[in-house]
């Protein structure tokens, strides 16, 4: 393995332990035990494992049941819902909704998410929301129907809601307002600007920052972090994606949280222990563990 694709080295341990508020262990190399041990060695003692489809959500719940450091979030990803409706296993269909059978399949899948959401080890419903980057116009109706259903499931079970918002800020905020957001709502991989951060702050939405906050071209994201209230900020890897600088392009994993957190402390003009303590408390409050 060349150093360009090798896993980055372990960073200096954090002085105050935090959680990775959003990860996909099932998409990473190695075992769950190895990932948790590496993370714990640098002060990342809790992870939220996020499911993106039925199988992934069932696996998240099982993994959380088997490991006290793991909490589960369950959902059909915003790009998964149209795939179910459009019946296109190899990619996002260009055919549009074929018949009512597509929505029946979506409703069946949502019923399984609903069942999983009732479990104690499941702390959140998500990631759900809107993705205008990966899903085209023909999938929008299914995506929105699925998003609204997930909001309802989260509220009925008293669970947190984890939002995936890709190039859909205004519509995500509008639908949340129309449905009435759950008491605890988290924008995962927060991608809005400072102005949107003010809107989220007023609504009491948590903003979870990922490794892309370290990217050179991400000044608008750092401006958003700068104005985000300290009691609404979380940190995540979204691993295996979004590896922070200076390891961009190499595999991401929960043990790299300290790299992102240190960059965030610089933006906030605070020391890393103070930020870590705030994030640890915020994450526990957001997910209710
Ligand atoms: Zn996402
Ligand atoms: Zn994710």
């Amino acid at each position: 393995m060349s150093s360009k694709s090798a896993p980055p080295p372990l960073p200096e341990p954090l002085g105050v332990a935090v959680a990775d508020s959003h990860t996909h262990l099932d998409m990473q190399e190695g075992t769950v035990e190895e990932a948790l041990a590496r993370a714990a060695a640098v002060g990342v003692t809790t992870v939220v494992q996020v499911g993106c489809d039925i199988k992934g959500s069932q696996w998240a719940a099982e993994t959380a049941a088997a490991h006290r450091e793991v909490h589960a979030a369950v959902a059909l990803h915003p790009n998964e819902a149209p795939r179910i409706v459009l019946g296109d296993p190899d990619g996002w269909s260009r055919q549009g909704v074929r018949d009512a059978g597509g929505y029946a399949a979506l409703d069946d899948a949502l019923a399984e998410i609903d069942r999983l959401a009732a479990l104690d080890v499941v702390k959140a419903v998500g990631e759900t929301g809107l993705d205008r980057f990966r899903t085209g116009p023909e999938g929008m109706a299914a995506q929105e129907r699925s998003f609204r259903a997930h909001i309802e499931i989260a509220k009925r079970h008293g669970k947190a809601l984890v939002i995936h918002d890709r190039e859909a800020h205004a519509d995500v905020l509008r639908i949340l307002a129309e449905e009435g957001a759950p008491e605890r709502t988290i924008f995962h991989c927060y991608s809005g600007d400072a102005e949107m951060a003010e809107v989220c702050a007023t609504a009491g939405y948590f903003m979870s920052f990922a490794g892309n906050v370290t990217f050179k071209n991400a000044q608008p994201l750092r401006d958003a972090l700068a104005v985000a209230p300290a009691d609404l900020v979380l940190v995540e890897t979204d691993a295996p994606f979004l590896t922070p600088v200076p390891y961009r392009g190499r595999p991401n994993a929960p043990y790299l949280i300290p790299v992102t957190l240190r960059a965030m402390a610089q933006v906030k003009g605070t020391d890393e222990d103070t930020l870590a303590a705030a994030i640890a408390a915020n994450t526990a409050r957001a997910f209710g563990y």
Side-chain angles (χ1 to χ4, degrees):
M1 210 185 279
S2 80
S3 67
K4 278 278 172 205
S5 58
L10 259 66
E12 279 295 304
L14 294 169
V16 176
V18 299
D20 179 350
S21 82
H22 189 111
T23 195
H24 301 284
L25 294 171
D26 48 337
M27 302 180 195
Q28 297 164 34
E29 289 293 320
T31 67
V32 169
E33 288 74 16
E34 287 164 352
L36 295 176
R38 272 195 295 271
V42 297
V44 181
T45 50
T46 307
V47 306
V48 179
Q49 168 64 26
V50 180
C52 293
D53 57 15
I54 290 294
K55 274 211 175 93
S57 295
Q58 290 167 341
W59 189 84
E62 286 162 19
T63 305
H67 302 274
R68 58 208 302 241
E69 315 93 305
V70 180
H71 302 296
V74 298
L76 310 174
H77 191 281
N79 294 322
E80 172 70 4
R83 197 191 66 74
I84 293 171
V85 172
L86 300 170
D88 179 10
D90 301 320
W92 318 126
S93 171
R94 302 284 151 200
Q95 298 169 30
V97 179
R98 282 197 209 120
D99 52 48
Y103 280 120
L106 176 60
D107 290 346
D108 284 353
L110 287 166
E112 175 62 5
I113 296 300
D114 191 354
R115 186 190 72 80
L116 292 168
L119 301 175
D120 243 14
V121 294
V122 173
K123 302 300 184 197
V125 173
E127 55 186 291
T128 182
L130 301 177
D131 188 321
R132 295 276 152 76
F133 181 75
R134 288 286 301 278
T135 292
E138 72 287 346
M140 277 304 135
Q143 196 170 80
E144 183 172 327
R145 178 183 172 124
S146 178
F147 181 25
R148 290 183 190 273
H150 281 83
I151 296 171
E152 188 277 325
I153 291 169
K155 285 198 288 192
R156 183 155 37 77
H157 292 288
K159 302 291 168 92
L161 185 73
V162 173
I163 300 285
H164 169 105
D165 160 26
R166 192 154 183 199
E167 300 184 4
H169 307 318
D171 286 333
V172 166
L173 290 170
R174 174 180 56 80
I175 290 172
L176 278 173
E178 284 172 7
E179 294 292 324
E183 224 167 281
R184 294 168 288 124
T185 296
I186 299 136
F187 276 71
H188 117 77
C189 191
Y190 179 82
S191 61
D193 58 9
E195 195 182 332
M196 179 169 159
E198 309 269 17
V199 175
C200 288
T202 302
Y205 300 153
F206 292 91
M207 289 163 265
S208 182
F209 289 83
N212 54 342
V213 76
T214 68
F215 293 178
K216 197 175 174 202
N217 63 359
Q219 192 54 46
L221 207 45
R222 287 186 285 277
D223 294 343
L225 172 60
V227 302
D231 62 343
L232 292 177
V233 170
L234 310 182
V235 66
E236 67 174 70
T237 57
D238 201 17
F241 313 109
L242 299 172
T243 315
V245 170
Y247 305 118
R248 206 174 165 180
R250 292 164 71 175
N252 200 5
Y255 75 87
L256 291 172
I257 280 284
V259 179
T260 301
L261 189 143
R262 283 176 184 131
M264 290 170 65
Q266 283 199 342
V267 172
K268 283 298 216 188
T270 181
D271 68 280
E272 80 178 56
D273 286 358
T274 304
L275 181 63
I279 286 177
N282 296 346
T283 315
R285 209 169 75 249
F287 289 92
Y289 62 76

